[in-house]
Amino acid sequence: MRRTLKFLHTMGAIGLMGAMACLVVVLSFTPPPAVLAGYALMRGAMGAVASWIFLPSLALTLLAGLLALAQRAFHNAGWAWVKLATGVLMFEGGLVYVQGPMRQEADLSAAALAGHGDPALLGQALEGEGGTLWLLLAVATVNVVLGIWRPRLIRPPARAAAP
């Protein structure tokens, strides 16, 4: 069971970081909202990556990590608890600042392209999205470092010498 959870956690992390890297690259090539057809196409692609790769990878990583942490071997491992805290931040940040807004912007740009929405509402979050993705990539990298090197963050209590 332990190897299975480690495999699932690793695969989720690979998908998660790959999706974020993909979103950073696509975001850098996204034309301004004034070029509506190109903007809607790129935002649609970003919405698909956020929904079909980013979100499932994020859920798999967090779920496998939580199940692994439930094992007794990790209860006294400080690095595992730090990974839990940053994993919760990743989940919240991923839902609130990546997946939701990207899906919403994809829908808004598709509606504007079809003539049912206001193109002036597009692109309001472009500047913040790149910074958020880079920040989440940095946190994910810290999680990988913690998982590989497993630094001793909590010292076990010293045992009293027997009289």
Side-chain angles (χ1 to χ4, degrees), residues 81-92:
W81 292 102
V82 172
K83 279 187 67 152
L84 172 65
T86 56
V88 170
L89 290 175
M90 287 286 301
F91 189 70
E92 182 179 351

Side-chain angles (χ1 to χ4, degrees), residues 1-159:
M1 180 70 160
R2 193 170 177 178
R3 286 181 186 240
T4 302
L5 289 175
K6 183 173 182 161
F7 173 77
L8 292 174
H9 189 70
T10 301
M11 292 305 293
I14 290 168
L16 179 63
M17 292 181 78
M20 287 190 287
C22 177
L23 289 170
V24 165
V25 170
V26 173
L27 187 62
S28 70
F29 285 101
T30 301
V35 184
L36 189 54
Y39 182 80
L41 177 68
M42 296 300 263
R43 294 309 293 209
M46 291 173 72
V49 168
S51 295
W52 292 102
I53 300 172
F54 178 82
L55 188 61
S57 296
L58 181 62
L60 178 62
T61 304
L62 186 63
L63 191 63
L66 287 172
L67 289 173
L69 190 60
Q71 296 178 8
R72 206 175 279 272
F74 296 119
H75 288 184
N76 291 327
W79 63 268
W81 292 102
V82 172
K83 279 187 67 152
L84 172 65
T86 56
V88 170
L89 290 175
M90 287 286 301
F91 189 70
E92 182 179 351
L95 287 178
V96 174
Y97 298 110
V98 176
Q99 202 277 331
M102 287 196 179
R103 186 74 251 158
Q104 181 182 14
E105 190 72 12
D107 293 342
L108 286 174
S109 62
L113 187 61
H116 303 295
D118 185 9
L121 298 175
L122 300 175
Q124 295 176 354
L126 274 175
E127 293 174 12
E129 285 178 328
T132 299
L133 286 167
W134 280 111
L135 178 64
L136 290 176
L137 268 168
V139 172
T141 302
V142 168
N143 278 342
V144 169
V145 167
L146 286 171
I148 291 172
W149 280 287
R150 298 179 175 192
R152 188 171 292 215
L153 301 176
I154 298 176
R155 303 266 183 233
R159 294 185 181 168

